[in-house]
Amino acid sequence: MSDASARLSAPVPRYADRMREGFAVRALLILLALAFLVLFLFLPLVSVFAEAFKRGFDAYLAAFDDPDAMAAIRLTLIVAAIAVPFNVVVGIAAAWAIAKFDFKGKNLLTSLIDLPFSVSPVIAGLIYVLLFGAQGYFGTWLKAHDIEIIFAVPGIVLATVFVTFPFVARELIPHLQALGKDDEEAALTLGASGWRTFFKITLPNVKWSLLYGVLLCNARAMGEFGAVSVVSGRIRGLTTTIPTQIEILYNEYNGVAAFALASLLAALALITLVLKTFLEWRYADSIAASRHS
């Protein structure tokens, strides 16, 4: 019997068999995904809260009575309050320019926006030390004018701005490109100014993407460790943020206090996830309509 005849005479797999095989593959992939989530995400998260409350709720609250801990929380909030709005403004401007205009250097600007994703945060911190440190390029001038950047709040803000810059811009660029230029061109044709077109047409169309970017930017700003650790000097009560204060407490074998502060960052991550999921569920139709308009 020829090969062609053998293939024709071979039994065809039944539909039920194919369905069982497909179900088995899907079940295996789902189990693998769930196992990964449980082992690498859920269990560590549970461990953080378990260690934080290991000695009871009173010990947990006592961890926040430490002036250094409260100073770290205040500084983290201050840095986020500066870095996030700055990145919102600059990110919107960069995304608007890239998506709505054609100009020389457009590809270079897009690559520069992605730079913080490809550079280690520690390297970013070292770059700022090289520029603004006492022995850096601008160190002598800064010292002569009594300006402190490294081992001070300005350096922490600069490092945080650098590592969180792409989040807003990267969320907006594909959305603005998908929307096109028709709405803005129609508004300009009808006599609307550029700013009025932006605030009445462009910004409302991307408000949900913008909110996603803000949520991610804020979470990263409050949880950044690498770059902040380099430029802050980790001076307790002065330049320690929550992540750096956690490291100090953990190295001192003060596990309860360290995990108590870590629970704040874990709670922030959970809140960010819940808000993002809620917005995607609640405004799914609006988001889909704006992205396909």
Side-chain angles (χ1 to χ4, degrees), residues 21-164:
E21 291 176 0
F23 175 79
V25 172
R26 289 197 300 271
L28 178 60
L29 293 176
I30 292 172
L31 287 175
L32 288 175
L34 288 176
F36 176 84
L37 291 175
V38 169
L39 290 175
F40 294 98
L41 295 178
F42 181 73
L43 288 180
L45 191 62
V46 171
S47 299
V48 168
F49 287 96
E51 290 292 329
F53 290 97
K54 182 169 64 175
R55 296 183 183 175
F57 189 69
D58 292 337
Y60 177 82
L61 293 180
F64 299 100
D65 289 336
D66 181 13
D68 293 340
M70 295 306 299
I73 294 173
R74 284 195 299 270
L75 180 57
T76 302
L77 295 175
I78 290 171
V79 170
I82 297 172
V84 174
F86 178 85
N87 280 336
V88 168
V89 174
V90 179
I92 291 174
W96 194 21
I98 290 173
K100 301 298 183 180
F101 302 98
D102 295 320
F103 54 90
K104 292 183 178 180
K106 183 176 179 178
N107 292 333
L108 176 61
L109 178 59
T110 304
S111 299
L112 290 176
I113 290 175
D114 291 332
L115 182 63
F117 284 146
S118 58
V119 175
S120 168
V122 174
I123 300 301
L126 290 174
I127 291 172
Y128 283 115
V129 172
L130 180 63
L131 291 176
F132 305 115
Q135 306 300 322
Y137 291 115
F138 305 109
T140 303
W141 185 89
L142 292 172
K143 185 176 181 180
H145 292 79
D146 197 25
I147 299 175
E148 294 185 358
I149 294 181
I150 302 303
F151 304 152
V153 175
I156 299 174
V157 172
L158 285 174
T160 304
V161 166
F162 178 85
V163 298
T164 59

Side-chain angles (χ1 to χ4, degrees), residues 244-255:
T244 54
Q245 181 68 14
I246 290 171
E247 186 199 30
I248 291 173
L249 292 172
Y250 189 78
N251 289 336
E252 294 176 348
Y253 302 100
N254 192 349

